[in-house]
């Protein structure tokens, strides 16, 4: 899936000829034997990872961006901001549960709208990756590609995603639902005023949710042959089944 994370642009930067010697040593371990009748080539691995990237990123983005993609998925649903928990508690005590629920729904709707842009952002996020990196990821733990993407591109993705989230927050009027809750709490004498950065909060939670979905897609491609939707995915990730 997030294997899932190696765009065509990133692979164009590979020097496959220079990488061939180092790659060939890893290939034998992936096929489970040396000198097999149909060993994986570096081209196979690159194509397989590119296909996995396309499948996984599109699946994750599609799942997150549909109506209730965040809101009804317990793994990625965005809760009331923890920094404003006192606001939630106060509002509920004052009979404003429906307003609290509407605000939480608006946060998730913003993330769902922003997730429409997820696939191209992920596809453009990776600018370089060596064959050795690819081999380590392919033969690594079940979330190796997801971990790689997070370590290499989190800031880049954040910077690209933030303006999308800001626009989504405006379009679903998150502030309209937040303002009465905040004003009610801030009107209480002696309390410390609260005004969380909702743009940043939704951005961080939306990205976290997308990484969770990407990890699920990666696991499917690694473990479930039915998730390998073309011959190259079957060949490349089928090699892992043999080990």
């Amino acid at each position: 899936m997030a294997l899932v994370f190696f765009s065509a642009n990133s692979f164009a930067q590979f020097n496959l000829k220079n990488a061939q010697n180092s790659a060939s040593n890893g290939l034998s371990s992936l096929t489970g034997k040396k000198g097999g009748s149909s060993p994986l080539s570096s081209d196979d691995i690159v194509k397989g990872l590119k296909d996995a990237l396309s499948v996984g990123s599109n699946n994750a983005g599609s799942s997150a961006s549909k109506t209730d993609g965040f809101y009804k998925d317990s793994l990625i649903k965005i809760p009331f901001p923890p920094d404003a928990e006192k606001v939630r508690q106060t509002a509920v005590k004052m009979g404003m549960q429906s307003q609290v629920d509407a605000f939480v729904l608006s946060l998730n709707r913003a993330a769902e709208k922003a997730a429409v842009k997820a696939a191209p952002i992920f596809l453009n996020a990776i600018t370089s990756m060596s064959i050795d990196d690819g081999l380590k990821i392919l033969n690594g733990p079940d979330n190796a590609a997801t971990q790689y993407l997070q370590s290499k591109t989190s800031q880049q993705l954040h910077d690209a995603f933030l303006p999308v989230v800001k626009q989504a927050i405006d379009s679903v009027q998150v502030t309209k639902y937040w303002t009465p809750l905040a004003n009610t709490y801030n009107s209480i004498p002696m309390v410390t005023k609260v005004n969380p950065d909702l743009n940043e909060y939704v951005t961080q939670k939306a990205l976290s949710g997308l990484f969770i979905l990407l990890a699920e897609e990666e696991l499917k491609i690694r473990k479930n042959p039915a998730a390998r939707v073309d011959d190259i995915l079957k060949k490349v990730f089928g090699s892992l089944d043999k080990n």
Side-chain angles (χ1 to χ4, degrees):
M1 130 213 153
L3 295 166
V4 168
F5 310 128
F6 319 76
S7 68
N9 290 334
S10 67
F11 288 106
Q13 297 179 23
F14 288 168
N15 188 329
L16 295 178
K17 183 175 181 181
N18 291 341
Q20 186 67 45
N21 289 336
S22 61
S24 62
N25 293 329
L27 292 175
S28 61
S29 66
L30 291 175
T31 57
K33 56 186 176 181
K34 294 184 178 180
S37 59
S38 183
L40 288 174
S41 68
S42 55
D43 286 341
D44 289 333
I45 292 175
V46 170
K47 181 63 167 62
L49 294 177
K50 287 165 62 178
D51 279 14
L53 166 58
S54 178
V55 170
S57 62
N58 279 298
N59 286 350
S62 295
S63 178
S65 63
K66 67 185 180 182
T67 300
D68 292 331
F70 271 84
Y71 188 64
K72 290 190 176 180
D73 187 332
S74 60
L75 288 177
I76 64 174
K77 180 180 179 180
I78 301 177
F80 203 97
D83 290 347
E85 176 59 20
K86 290 182 179 180
V87 176
R88 187 193 68 79
Q89 293 175 358
T90 300
V92 170
K93 289 178 181 178
M94 298 180 70
M96 300 178 68
Q97 182 66 60
S98 62
Q99 290 92 326
V100 169
D101 293 341
F103 170 62
V104 170
L105 175 61
S106 72
L107 294 177
N108 286 273
R109 288 290 184 261
E112 290 158 10
K113 280 184 170 290
V116 171
K117 304 291 186 179
I121 290 174
F122 278 122
L123 288 171
N124 291 323
I126 302 298
T127 58
S128 65
M129 177 176 289
S130 70
I131 289 295
D132 284 341
D133 285 334
L135 289 169
K136 290 175 183 176
I137 290 170
L138 186 62
N139 211 30
D142 290 341
N143 64 343
T146 304
Q147 289 180 343
Y148 180 89
L149 182 62
Q150 287 179 297
S151 68
K152 297 293 185 180
T153 67
S154 287
Q155 188 60 51
Q156 180 184 354
L157 287 167
H158 171 276
D159 293 345
F161 216 65
L162 183 59
V164 178
V165 168
K166 287 181 179 179
Q167 184 178 21
I169 281 178
D170 290 339
S171 70
V172 299
Q173 299 181 308
V174 169
T175 303
K176 181 183 78 172
Y177 297 103
W178 166 250
T179 298
L181 298 174
N183 288 344
T184 298
Y185 178 79
N186 290 338
S187 67
I188 299 173
M190 307 299 290
V191 301
T192 301
K193 302 297 188 288
V194 295
N195 188 28
D197 186 340
L198 296 178
N199 291 326
E200 182 64 24
Y201 177 66
V202 174
T203 296
Q204 293 287 356
K205 298 300 289 186
L207 288 174
S208 175
L210 284 168
F211 281 130
I212 289 172
L213 295 179
L214 284 167
E216 289 185 334
E217 293 297 324
E218 178 180 356
L219 184 63
K220 289 178 186 177
I221 291 175
R222 286 181 180 273
K223 300 298 185 181
N224 182 6
R228 302 164 192 166
V229 296
D230 59 32
D231 289 341
I232 191 64
L233 287 177
K234 293 173 183 177
K235 181 177 182 180
V236 171
F237 293 96
S239 68
L240 300 178
D241 299 335
K242 303 173 185 178
N243 293 333

